[in-house]
Amino acid sequence: MFNQEFRIPEIIFGRGAIEQVGYCARRVGAEKVFVVTDPGVLDAGWIDVALPFLKQEEVDYEIWHDLTENPKDYEVEQATRAYIDSKCDAIVAIGGGSPIDVAKAVAVMAAHPGTIHDYEGVDKITNPLPPMIMVPSTAGSGADITQFAVIMDSKRNLKMILISKSLVPDISITDPLILTTKDPQLTANTGMDALAHAIEAYVSLAANFLTDSYSLTAIRLISAYLGKSVASKTNLEAKDAMAKASLLAAIAASNALIGAVHALAHQVGGKFDLPHGMANAILLPHVMEYNYPACIERLADIAEALGQPAGGTNLRERARGAIEAVRGLARELGIVESFAGAGCLYSEEVIHTLSANAVKDACLITNPRDAGLTDICGILSRAFSG
């Protein structure tokens, strides 16, 4: 039995909420903030939107954006040096999961010795971290809410996951208007990431009465609005709904934890440098299929949340319907159905190596069905072929 814990940041939500960034920085005691972002967010103009609100509160800043989609350990080292050299005392991330993960890693390294590799795993962070304010630019990663940070180990060619309550940011600022500058593919991938968070949290061994409602509400919103959000950059109703879904799914995932989808996605994404949401979308139905015997009732609940008929079929048929609904949604969004379709080269050696690493991933602990190396190899092989 897992203890039922529930931790979230202070949350500010709404169109135009980015205007609160300076006030929030001042409230956490910041005099100079280290702003972590990426070139896409810079080009979209959101940093230019945010900076006047820092200036208005007389908060100085340093901007750092030299990171890649799946951020690397050496990028964390570079960012940490920049943070220390600039004498900042708080961190603001404006961007998707990559800038937010780097921001968290910088916070860890600003307060601890060694390298980021020393803090891989669960509860390795022991010292207080600098204040962290996160402004997500996508509806999916949920990194602005969670106790997770994921950083690429460039030598081992895999993603390290850091898990600690200390990584829950101080403040999360969600502004749905930022989503209007995201392209359809990114919208689709990050939306499926949010769906994976919600589904894995709902079937997790650590799911509880608090996280269940967040998970199911997120699934309902994603089912109803993700397609609309992908179809139109200007559909503000859909952007609002997907921003809410991402927030709710992240709250559920951070507190109920996740499972085999993410344990495998970390490895495949690290090996082939795939977008995390795409990796999750490919893996999700295969992991649901594997987990089916352990969580039939919960999968039936998920099916209903995905809009499947609640009556006229038995429990097992409804549970199967959840798996097909996820496959159908990914197909409608134009996401490839296999890792082979994404250009990943299959070999028995690759499958075994990735699976051996996934078995050691902390996310696997709360998967509803036990999964050993042979089981994980089977799931991954099916995900490669589709």
Side-chain angles (χ1 to χ4, degrees):
M1 177 69 180
F2 288 85
N3 290 328
Q4 296 180 341
E5 297 184 0
F6 197 79
R7 300 191 187 187
I8 59 174
E10 176 185 337
I11 295 170
I12 299 171
F13 183 98
R15 299 178 193 175
I18 195 171
E19 297 176 6
Q20 296 293 313
V21 67
Y23 174 63
C24 290
R26 178 58 67 193
R27 282 201 293 115
V28 299
E31 295 185 359
K32 185 176 184 180
V33 295
F34 191 68
V35 179
V36 183
T37 188
D38 62 41
V41 174
L42 276 170
D43 291 344
W46 291 110
I47 300 302
D48 292 333
V49 171
L51 294 183
F53 297 105
L54 290 170
K55 294 174 183 176
Q56 181 178 298
E57 296 293 333
E58 299 182 344
V59 176
D60 200 1
Y61 56 85
E62 179 81 13
I63 300 172
W64 192 88
H65 59 84
D66 295 327
L67 54 84
T68 50
E69 183 173 16
N70 290 305
K72 317 296 187 293
D73 44 13
Y74 55 82
E75 294 169 351
V76 171
E77 292 175 12
Q78 293 163 2
T80 302
R81 284 198 297 271
Y83 174 86
I84 293 170
D85 290 346
S86 60
K87 294 181 170 54
C88 290
D89 54 9
I91 300 174
V92 172
I94 303 176
S98 296
I100 294 174
D101 280 343
V102 169
K104 290 180 178 181
V106 169
V108 172
M109 296 317 304
H112 294 81
T115 70
I116 195 63
H117 309 82
D118 299 324
Y119 304 95
E120 179 183 6
V122 181
D123 290 336
K124 300 288 183 65
I125 298 166
T126 56
N127 297 334
L129 304 186
M132 293 184 286
I133 300 168
M134 308 303 188
V135 185
S137 66
T138 64
S141 84
D144 56 298
I145 297 294
T146 68
Q147 59 173 312
F148 313 132
V150 182
I151 300 295
M152 180 76 180
D153 184 321
S154 57
K155 291 184 178 178
R156 290 186 292 162
N157 210 27
L158 57 80
K159 289 186 175 182
M160 303 178 290
I161 182 165
L162 287 67
I163 304 177
S164 170
K165 296 294 191 301
S166 298
L167 292 174
V168 175
D170 295 271
I171 303 175
S172 168
I173 302 172
T174 297
D175 187 339
L177 292 179
I178 299 178
L179 304 180
T180 61
T181 56
K182 302 304 163 185
D183 66 67
Q185 184 176 19
L186 179 62
T187 302
N189 286 342
T190 53
M192 291 300 292
D193 191 8
L195 183 61
H197 291 155
I199 289 176
E200 289 217 286
Y202 192 67
V203 302
S204 167
L205 294 178
N208 59 64
F209 70 100
L210 288 168
T211 60
D212 283 352
S213 61
Y214 286 88
S215 296
L216 291 176
T217 302
I219 293 167
R220 292 188 187 102
L221 288 169
I222 293 165
S223 177
Y225 287 100
L226 178 53
K228 295 176 183 178
S229 185
V230 171
S232 172
K233 285 185 176 181
T234 58
N235 186 332
L236 293 183
E237 180 185 12
K239 301 307 178 189
D240 286 346
M242 284 306 302
K244 291 174 185 175
S246 176
L247 183 62
L248 295 169
I251 291 171
S254 185
N255 288 281
L257 306 180
I258 38 186
V261 173
H262 280 78
L264 275 163
H266 294 151
Q267 317 314 320
V268 179
K271 172 68 174 176
F272 297 105
D273 203 27
L274 289 181
H276 179 62
M278 177 191 289
N280 278 339
I282 293 170
L283 285 160
L284 183 55
H286 296 286
V287 172
M288 292 171 72
E289 187 81 42
Y290 175 79
N291 286 336
Y292 169 85
C295 52
I296 293 171
E297 295 85 355
R298 298 230 138 199
L299 287 175
D301 293 340
I302 289 168
E304 185 175 353
L306 285 166
Q308 300 298 296
T313 57
N314 65 41
L315 191 69
R316 284 174 169 75
E317 288 173 343
R318 294 204 301 275
R320 292 284 182 193
I323 302 168
E324 293 311 311
V326 169
R327 283 198 174 100
L329 178 58
R331 194 175 296 126
E332 290 170 13
L333 299 174
I335 297 175
V336 296
E337 297 185 33
S338 69
F339 288 123
C344 304
L345 297 178
Y346 173 92
S347 74
E348 293 294 338
E349 181 182 1
V350 165
I351 293 293
H352 186 273
T353 299
L354 296 179
S355 299
N357 289 332
V359 169
K360 295 180 281 189
D361 192 294
C363 291
L364 205 58
I365 295 170
T366 44
N367 194 68
R369 184 179 177 188
D370 291 345
L373 180 58
T374 301
D375 304 312
I376 293 295
C377 283
I379 295 169
L380 190 52
S381 295
R382 291 188 288 275
F384 260 86
S385 63

